[in-house]
Every structure is written in structure tokens, then in C-alpha cells.
Amino acid sequence: MTAEPDGPEDRLRRFATIWSRAVFPVTSTSLTRPEFEEKLLPLARRLSEALRARSFEAETPKEVGAALVGAHCTDPDALARSLDCVDAYLVLYCGEDGPQEELRTRCSRLQHAMAAGFAQELRERTLAEQEAIAQAALRAQGVVAQALHASEARFRAVFEGAAIGIGIADLEGNILQVNGALVRMFGGGEQGVRGRNVSEWTHADDAPQVWRLYDELVRGEREHYHVEKAFYRPDGTVLWTNLTVSLLRDADGQPQYQLALMEDTTERRLLNLRLRYEATHDALTGLPNRTLFFERLEKVLAAGEGQRFGLCYLDLDGFKTINDSLGHAAGDRLLVEVADRLQSCATAPGEMVARLGGDEFVALTTGPDTHREVDDLAARIMNALVAPVRIEGRELTVRGSIGIVEGPAGERSPAEVLRSADITMYRAKSAGGNRFELADPEADARAITRHGLTTALPAALERGEFFIEYQPLVHLGDGSVRGAEALVRWLHPQHGVLGPDRFIPLAEHTGLIVPLGRWVLEQSVRQARDWRERRGEPGPLRINVNLSPCQLTHPGLVQDTVDILERAGVSPEALCLEVTESALIGADDDLLKPLRRLAEMGVDIALDDFGTGYSNLANLRRLPVSVLKLDRSFTQSMQQFPADPVDLKIVEGIVSLAHSLDLTVTVEGVETGAQAEQLRILGCDTAQGWYYARPGPPDRLHELALVDATG
């Protein structure tokens, strides 16, 4: 009998147990360890929820860090142990099999925010303690000034027993008294601190206002100030503190002493620096990550007039194949090697290399003239990738595609620059890879528009932005209207009316062509029914609807067509489905099976764009088609007089072959009467083109059919 797997609550409880065992020994509390665990459990639950939240919110981990201080976990070692537990066990017990890299990144940010909340709460508590001490010092200032005040014992107890460093100096800066906590902060004996002058404690990292505030205080112009300040210890190391300096006045209100309160923040600062490094650098390669790169790019683009930048966006070619064939460990080793090579390429001032994620890297160069520098940088990167990488006894060839963006600072945002570089990189990749391309604003605009149309397609279908125009099919023998081809259009809110060449390829790429094609078929069949009812004749106008290759392979094609015809009450003979010749070249029986079923039902199948696919004419015998639609390229030469005799012979031969196979022939692109007459003489059956009518609304076709019927 196997045990049931632990649920989320069990794993959360296990994390809280580990956390409490790590922190309890350094916590000043009257609670037992199990009671302390119960106190940490809701904090663990909040961290777990923040880890798996849809978006990162820093407030929750900050509140958890502050709650640690409220639970008396004020020892610096308590924070370090808590962060170690979060780093080692939070993703393990609370990640719930989510994407590990994203969870590790989120966990690092949680630690940073948690440390910030701990520091802020501890600082506020310290400031409250400092205020209490300062008040006690003010009440006891007569003791310092006259050594006769009755509360000297109480002040001395506060002075010596405080956990923060306290020092008293005269207005000339001579240090008169220090407590034990301050001596321990600096190290060495008390004599190493007492007797010194405040002016000796300068540091290279002092903010400009530190000594201005000090001068104002000793002149009596301010009562206190608070700054972050660094001090050199006797051994040369640096002590970072939160420093509060207050002015002590005598009984007459005259400035007499200055009181300094110091909180040691060195460990917390080092921890924040470590967390900052982990949050801004890639864990695998050690390169700056996306966060740090965007910070740097923002500064570069905000630079003054005359500054320029150059950016190389690199994506490795075929990296997925390496991961799939050799495993992710080999892929990681390859990425580390590539990162080392890229770093060696960007050593000049103003140059930087970062890893954005996966196998994507960026290199940035800045300066007054980056036209040539960015090209040189891209060339160095390509050369650095030439040498094979040896991994697990194999030599792997490294190839990459680079998109280059170069220009003046201040004109584009970081997101716009990176998007342009990304688009250009994919242009280089589509051109064969292992090359670099320079960004082209026009190509960017086309790609952005194409992407915008792609993302807008699903909503456009739901909002009813598509409509259908119909172009009549005319019999060349008697000039009668026999039907129409349905041509879908998109009424885009920004771009206006878009033809199918603008969005059909995008719909095929995204798979939306199936629901869109079903909608076109349904609307067109309904329109055929309406024409029949308005004409009052039993024979309906035939409607031609285009099928894409994706629709041909969709398993619901036959059933959808049957359902649409039955719901509309239209016979299959009124429908003709057009399939391009290229889609059927080399088609096997499985692909032809749904077309054969439709043809057996009575639906006409037309072979569209015939003559452009270089197919074997003998294949026509095995295809379930009843109509050949000649491509418009055959009719273009007939606009000239005399027509090209070779084209005439080709058309005549195709028509003769089609008729011998009991196929009818439709010709597209008829624009003149001379073309129409020539095609009639050659034996073509029906035609469509601007000579008869441009695609238009269904009512216009109804009018044309009425004119034909009464003419």
C-alpha cells in the first residue's frame, strides 16, 4: 500500500517547520518552538502565495520581513537564516511543479523585498528606541552639563545598556563619551574612539549633505539630522551605519553637546548588495540579465544630445536541436561558453553584454559615433562563434543570427529599440541565419503591423469585422450570370478594408483560418439561398468558396459543409469549393478523401490557379475536381493585339484536355471585351474579372442576375 502524496498544505507546514527550527535558536521569545512554528505558518503561507501569484507584488514579502521583527526575530542572524530557508526550500515545497527558472527568479525577488521589509521595520523600531534615548538624553542634559542632575543614574543605565552605539561630543567635535556598543562596532579599545575628533571620520562615500547638516547642527541652526554614513574601522574595513545626530542644549537653551546614535547596517547592506547582484545577473552565465540591461539601456537612451547607441541582438541558430539531442546540461555548457566568448568581444568603454533568457543575448555599445563601432562589434561576435565548442567529446558548431539597431539617444524607448532588434534578428534568421542584418524602419513597420493584425484576428471575428464581397461568374457563350465567387474582406478599425492577401496567410499561420473559413462558407451558402428566393427560380446561382490547405486537413470539413447546406436548405449542386493547384500537388489519398466525399454528394470542386503549380496533367484523372480555373497570367497576354500565339496554344490545349475529362474551364482576370471574345473562341466556359464587375455587395450581383434574366 503506497502512501498518499503530500498535499499543498502538508508541504507548506513542512516549510514552516524547517523555517522555525532555523530561526528559533536566535530569537528572543517566550514561546516554545512548536508555538513559534504556528506563528510563522501564516507568514509561510503568504510567501507561498506570492511565489505563485500571477504578477509580482513586493508589498507581501515586505510585510513578511516586517512581521519577523514583530515576532522578536531582531538578531541579524535571524534574517540571514530566514533568507537561506526561503532560498533553499520555498520553491521546493511551495512551487507546485511550476516553471523552475521563473520560480527561482521570483524567489530571489521575494528575498530582496523580504530583507527590505525587515530592514525598514527594524529601522523604525531603532528610530523609536533612538527617540526614547534622545528624550532621555535631553531630560538628562543637565547631568552632562553640570554633573549634578538627579537622574544621572537613569541616563547612565540607558547609555551603557543600549544595543545601538551612542557617543557624546562637544561642539568642536571632540568625542567625550562612548558606550560599549559603539566601541564594539568600531573594534579595538575605547581609547581608539574617545579622544578623536568628529572631523576625522570622513569617508569617500559620504553624501554631499552630510557635513553641511553637521555644520548647521553645531551652529544651533537645526536640532538633529539623520543620514546613512560609512566609517573606516581601525583595521581598514568599512562600517556602514544609520546615523542620527541630535543637539543637546543647557538649562538656558544654549547649544552645548552633540549626541550621536549609530545603528550598524553593514551586514544588511552586504546582504542587499548580494540580493541585488542575484536579481540583476544571470545565474547560469554570470552576465547581466534582462533587468540590469534595461536599466543600462534606459540610461543610455536618456543621454544628452550628440550621444548614440548601437545594439546587437543575438539568437543562436538551432539551439533547440542541441537541447533535444544532447540534453539541457550540454545546452547550458554551450551557453556558458558562448557567454564567455561574447564577454571577450565587449571590452571597450561603453560596451556591455547581457543574457536576456534562453539562447538570446544582447551587446550594447555607446558613444558619439556608433555607426562603425556596432558593425565592428557584430563582426567580432560572429568571428567569436566560428570556433566549434567541445562538449562531452563532441565538437558543436555554433551559429547565430544578429539584429542590429543603431541611432541617436532620446528618440525611442528601450522597449521600442529591443522590439526593432528582435524583428531584425528574425529577418536575419529567415534569410538563412549565421549573419547579421541592420534594422530597417519600413520592415519593422510591416512586421509590427503583421503582428498587430495577427493578435487582432480572433477578436475581429467575434466582433463581426469581416464581410464578404461577390464577383460574378459569367457564361462566355450567352453572357448569363451563373454564380459568384465569395471573397472575404476585413473592415479593420485602424487600417480600413483589408484584402485576403493581408490576413489569410496570418489566419492560416495561427489556425484561425478554420473558424473563419467556416464562417465564410456559412454566410455564402445563406446568400445563395437568398438569391434563389429573390429570383423565384428553382435553379440557384452557384456560389464559389475558397478552401485553404489548413481547412483541407481539418477533420470536420465534410460534416461542417453538410450541416451548413442542410441548415440553409441549399442543395450541394449550388456550392463549388475552390482549392489551389499547389495544395493538391502530390496529395495522397487521405488528403483527397474528404474532397471525394464532397464531390460524391454533388459539391463541385474547382482546381484554382491552374497552370502555376507545374503539376503533371495526368494527375487530373485522380483528382475529384469538376472545374479548372485558369490563372490570370494566361489572360494578361491577351490584352495585347495580337495575342501571344504560344499562350493561345497553351490555353487551347488546356481547354481541350479539360473538356475531354468532362471538366469545365473558368478563366480569371478578364478585363476587356477582346479578352472575353478570344477566350470564348478558345472554348472556355465561364469567366470572371473587372470587365463584367468588380467584387461587390450581394445586392449588386442580384441586380446583374435580374438584368441578365430580363435582357
Side-chain angles (χ1 to χ4, degrees), residues 320-390:
K320 184 178 184 300
T321 304
I322 295 174
N323 265 347
D324 292 343
S325 59
L326 300 182
H328 287 275
D332 287 348
R333 290 178 60 186
L334 177 63
L335 291 175
V336 171
E337 175 64 26
V338 170
D340 291 342
R341 295 186 185 187
L342 294 181
Q343 193 125 38
S344 67
C345 295
T347 56
E351 293 182 344
M352 171 192 186
V353 173
R355 182 190 179 201
L356 297 185
D359 59 334
E360 296 179 340
F361 299 85
V362 285
L364 180 67
T365 182
T366 60
D369 182 15
T370 53
H371 289 286
R372 180 181 54 81
E373 293 173 2
V374 72
D375 286 341
D376 290 345
L377 179 58
R380 292 199 301 272
I381 292 173
M382 297 301 291
N383 289 334
L385 298 179
V386 169
V389 178
R390 178 170 289 277

Side-chain angles (χ1 to χ4, degrees), residues 104 220 227 265 452 560:
R104 295 301 308 171
V227 293
T265 62
D560 285 346

Side-chain angles (χ1 to χ4, degrees), residues 257-268:
Y257 298 100
Q258 49 180 313
L259 174 70
L261 308 177
M262 294 184 188
E263 176 197 3
D264 186 352
T265 62
T266 307
E267 292 296 326
R268 189 161 70 236

Side-chain angles (χ1 to χ4, degrees), residues 286-323:
L287 291 178
N289 64 9
R290 179 184 290 268
T291 300
L292 186 57
F293 171 74
F294 263 89
E295 291 179 4
R296 172 69 184 282
L297 187 59
E298 284 179 351
K299 292 179 181 178
V300 168
L301 296 180
E305 186 177 352
Q307 291 297 308
R308 302 182 69 87
F309 74 95
L311 185 145
C312 297
Y313 192 117
L314 168 69
D315 183 272
L316 300 183
D317 298 334
F319 179 73
K320 184 178 184 300
T321 304
I322 295 174
N323 265 347

